[in-house]
Amino acid sequence: MISTERLDLRLPEERDREVFVELFGRSDFMVFSGGTMTPVDASSRFDQMLTNAREIPFAKQPVVERASGTIVGYCGVAWMDFEGRRWLEFGYRFTPAARGKGYATEAGQAILAVAGRSFTGEILATIDPTNDASKRVARKLGFEYWKLAIVGGFEDEVHRLTIDVASAV
């Protein structure tokens, strides 16, 4: 488990499925994405979170607000294919009530600290061009704008961050 001043992050577990299936079906949670998911698709997406968590210690994981004990979103990386290559994509998503509190930056710093102890390479962040708040978070976390590209059928800004475990030690 990773703990920050206000948040706990931990790799996903089967007991989190119901929460995430519900969240992935909510339009207010899935804003700036391809839209809401059916329960079957949401469950498949959660399966992918579990699979990634077995392989990557900084995979997308539940973000728990310590004060309430409530899962308020997720933060971490997942595999993506982009321009003929497999990349780690950093992302996060929070409930509307948890937005604007600095949780994305706080959780992102914690996740990227774990990445810095075990990973060398580039991590991408794909961001809807109209999502100014997410672009600000990415800059705070050290991501730099790379280019505008079609990602998963949508035009996104692609930002990247280089991590070198050797220099982080």
Side-chain angles (χ1 to χ4, degrees):
M1 179 182 300
I2 306 166
S3 292
T4 69
E5 181 181 334
R6 302 176 296 163
L7 307 170
D8 287 328
L9 293 88
R10 58 171 172 71
L11 292 173
E13 301 170 2
E14 186 58 42
R15 65 184 168 126
D16 302 319
R17 181 180 301 276
E18 185 177 327
V19 171
F20 280 99
V21 167
E22 187 265 329
L23 288 172
F24 292 149
R26 289 177 35 187
S27 60
D28 63 350
F29 186 75
M30 297 301 288
V31 65
F32 296 114
S33 72
T36 61
M37 298 181 169
T38 67
V40 170
D41 290 340
S43 190
S44 291
R45 181 165 176 177
F46 184 75
D47 286 341
Q48 192 59 54
M49 286 176 70
L50 292 173
T51 298
N52 288 336
R54 287 190 289 273
E55 180 183 351
I56 309 165
F58 50 100
K60 289 183 180 174
Q61 48 199 269
V63 176
V64 180
E65 185 179 55
R66 293 173 76 191
S68 68
T70 303
I71 292 175
V72 294
Y74 68 78
C75 183
V77 301
W79 290 110
M80 69 175 284
D81 292 319
F82 178 65
E83 296 185 339
R85 185 173 151 201
R86 191 173 188 218
W87 300 81
L88 285 176
E89 179 194 23
F90 174 81
Y92 56 85
R93 190 170 297 280
F94 288 90
T95 61
R99 294 180 193 146
K101 296 181 177 185
Y103 287 175
T105 302
E106 189 173 330
Q109 289 170 337
I111 288 289
L112 292 172
V114 173
R117 293 191 293 270
S118 60
F119 177 76
T120 296
E122 285 186 314
I123 296 176
L124 302 184
T126 60
I127 303 171
D128 183 300
T130 64
N131 191 344
D132 293 331
S134 192
K135 290 188 271 188
R136 284 191 299 274
V137 169
R139 280 193 300 274
K140 287 178 190 175
L141 295 174
F143 284 85
E144 295 181 358
Y145 176 82
W146 181 21
K147 61 183 164 181
L148 197 61
I150 302 299
V151 181
F154 297 93
E155 186 175 65
D156 283 333
E157 287 188 12
V158 181
H159 299 246
R160 61 185 174 183
L161 172 70
T162 301
I163 296 178
D164 183 355
V165 73
S167 66
V169 176

